[in-house]
Amino acid sequence: MDATPAQPRAEGSPGVALRRSFGKAARAVRLRLGLTQAQVARRAGTTSGVYGRIERGDMMPSVPNLLRLCEALETSPDVLLSHGLAEEQVPPVPTRPAPDEPPEVSRIVRLLRGWSRERLVLLRKLVELADLELHR
């Protein structure tokens, strides 16, 4: 993934602030999705090391890679580029069912809404394992 490496600049410069706020927003969205840095990196076609540098505010992705990153994080560029956006202001992942989605999916989502993050992560891992087994 092409990215703009951190340039030696004054700590308070606009570029540093933008990289940091971008990284903070990317991290907030990733955590809301329950993904690891490695999973986002894989989805975006980069390494977890590069993605980690982006989240830490050490580098900014190029525009084409910004779009791939947004796709991986299931969000739009305006969310990640909203300079100074507080972590709690990052919009939640949409929960509206798709028009062709079976009603059972909505029932499952309603059931899981009260679960803790830890329980949800465990369930996601179990579902991923089951999916792998079913597609063998």
Side-chain angles (χ1 to χ4, degrees), residues 18-32:
L18 177 61
R19 287 195 314 267
R20 286 192 177 151
S21 68
F22 181 90
K24 185 176 181 179
R27 181 178 190 274
V29 172
R30 175 180 63 80
L31 292 176
R32 280 225 165 83

Side-chain angles (χ1 to χ4, degrees), residues 108-121:
I108 291 169
V109 169
R110 279 194 306 273
L111 175 69
L112 299 178
R113 280 210 174 102
W115 282 29
S116 69
R117 182 177 184 282
E118 292 79 19
R119 288 180 74 187
L120 291 170
V121 169

Side-chain angles (χ1 to χ4, degrees), residues 29-94:
V29 172
R30 175 180 63 80
L31 292 176
R32 280 225 165 83
L33 290 171
L35 298 172
T36 64
Q37 286 185 347
Q39 289 170 319
V40 172
R42 194 173 317 112
R43 286 179 171 193
T46 189
T47 66
S48 55
V50 168
Y51 179 72
R53 289 183 66 200
I54 290 170
E55 258 193 26
R56 287 189 303 277
D58 293 338
M59 65 180 359
M60 284 291 290
S62 64
V63 173
N65 290 317
L66 166 65
L67 297 176
R68 289 198 336 233
L69 188 59
C70 287
E71 193 173 303
L73 289 169
E74 302 171 16
T75 194
S76 62
D78 60 315
V79 169
L80 298 181
L81 292 169
S82 295
H83 190 59
L85 184 68
E87 187 172 315
E88 56 274 0
Q89 292 176 305
V90 174
V93 176

